[in-house]
Amino acid sequence: SKSINAEYMGISNRRMSVTSNIDKWLWLGVHNEVGRSWILSHKVNLVYKALCAFYGLFMFFFVWGASEEWSELMFVYLTDWGVILTASYFLSSFAIAAVPYRKIPPYIWKPCHLLFELVLSTELVIVIVYWGAIFNGNLTSLQLAASIHAHGITFILLFIDFWVNCIEFVTTHVVPIVLFGILYILVNLGYTLGVRYLYAILKWESVASAGVAIGILLFLIAVFFLFKGLTRVKAKLQGDNSSTLPRVELSGLAGKAIMGSADL
């Protein structure tokens, strides 16, 4: 019994060590920047986050109501993944913004930080691929309006949020982004082979479909590093404007927004 317990403890400790090392690798030098703004005061930022959260909910139910098959296929279309994850980001970032900074544990802000990197990168890919290769105009007026929201306005709001928030695109985070892309490719492949194809450009009838999938995945990686580069531009803007932003203290690439004690 003692030997079994010792073996179990050894396995448990090794798992904890691996998890800890992965966490350090992903988050080395990264601080909690979720829910804060380098350009807006805490109160204005909170109102802004609340409006984004409201839009996230509106978009979720609007897209749901406009699609006759949405409830059935919500877990197989990449657009719907984007809708759900974007709404989740807007809601969670508002909740985090409403809580005093020092009371937010890492297991809360880290997923939200990563979620923003994921949805911003993925939404740009969705917008370009949808309007460039999938849209055929065969939609009702309501469906077209929902499509514009899901394949346009959503990204615009996320892009605005990129310039407002303090979230940094971290190089190591490209790994979970790629894993997300691979997961969707597998889901799409399984549904296409088992039920029907979802996108005309991904019928999985030939090697060409695999090429398209890999190409979109590489495009996702390129978009991630595009925003990584824009993070450096944002950091420079923060530095250039730091003298006019008394509520912001810069630290590292994206900086930390240090709010007044009255706001905390």
Side-chain angles (χ1 to χ4, degrees):
S1 176
K2 290 183 178 180
S3 61
I4 293 176
N5 288 336
E7 183 179 355
Y8 173 78
M9 289 297 295
I11 295 174
S12 178
N13 289 336
R14 284 194 295 271
R15 287 177 179 174
M16 291 179 62
S17 176
V18 170
T19 302
S20 177
N21 288 335
I22 292 175
D23 184 77
K24 289 179 180 178
W25 179 72
L26 284 173
W27 299 98
L28 182 64
V30 182
H31 305 282
N32 178 14
E33 298 155 344
V34 178
R36 295 182 291 162
S37 172
W38 67 279
I39 198 169
L40 301 177
S41 70
H42 177 63
K43 292 180 180 178
V44 174
N45 184 52
L46 197 58
V47 173
Y48 159 74
K49 290 290 185 184
L51 292 175
C52 287
F54 175 80
Y55 174 77
L57 286 175
F58 162 78
M59 176 189 61
F60 177 84
F61 289 108
F62 182 38
V63 173
W64 185 14
S67 175
E68 297 175 357
E69 58 180 9
W70 196 84
S71 59
E72 176 188 351
L73 300 177
M74 61 185 292
F75 295 114
V76 291
Y77 277 113
L78 185 58
T79 294
D80 296 331
W81 284 27
V83 167
I84 294 169
L85 293 176
T86 299
S88 299
Y89 164 71
F90 281 141
L91 289 168
S92 58
S93 64
F94 166 62
I96 290 174
V99 176
Y101 168 72
R102 295 178 182 84
K103 294 184 179 180
I104 304 170
Y107 62 83
I108 296 295
W109 68 261
K110 285 181 178 179
C112 188
H113 181 131
L114 188 57
L115 185 58
F116 177 72
E117 295 170 287
L118 172 64
V119 294
L120 182 58
S121 301
T122 304
E123 283 298 326
L124 181 54
V125 173
I126 289 173
V127 168
I128 293 176
V129 174
Y130 177 78
W131 294 110
I134 296 175
F135 178 72
N136 58 16
N138 188 25
L139 299 173
T140 66
S141 297
L142 181 62
Q143 289 172 336
L144 178 60
S147 188
I148 291 173
H149 276 276
H151 305 100
I153 296 177
T154 296
F155 170 73
I156 292 173
L157 288 181
L158 287 168
F159 190 63
I160 292 172
D161 196 61
F162 171 79
W163 293 104
V164 170
N165 68 38
C166 293
I167 296 176
E168 171 187 351
F169 269 63
V170 183
T171 301
T172 53
H173 291 178
V174 73
V175 174
I177 302 297
V178 169
L179 293 177
F180 172 85
I182 293 173
L183 173 63
Y184 180 74
I185 289 174
L186 293 176
V187 170
N188 184 280
L189 173 63
Y191 191 86
T192 300
L193 297 180
V195 184
R196 64 175 177 84
Y197 72 84
L198 299 167
Y199 304 112
I201 61 173
L202 272 180
K203 293 184 178 181
W204 297 104
E205 295 175 345
S206 66
V207 179
S209 290
V212 170
I214 293 173
I216 293 175
L217 184 61
L218 292 175
F219 182 41
L220 176 62
I221 296 172
V223 167
F224 175 88
F225 282 106
L226 168 65
F227 286 117
K228 170 69 177 176
L230 289 177
T231 298
R232 297 180 183 276
V233 176
K234 184 167 67 172
K236 186 177 185 304
L237 291 175
Q238 290 175 345
D240 291 344
N241 290 278
S242 59
S243 60
T244 62
L245 297 172
R247 297 173 67 80
V248 175
E249 176 182 321
L250 297 176
S251 175
L253 183 59
K256 293 181 179 180
I258 306 299
M259 304 304 174
S261 58
D263 295 328
L264 296 176

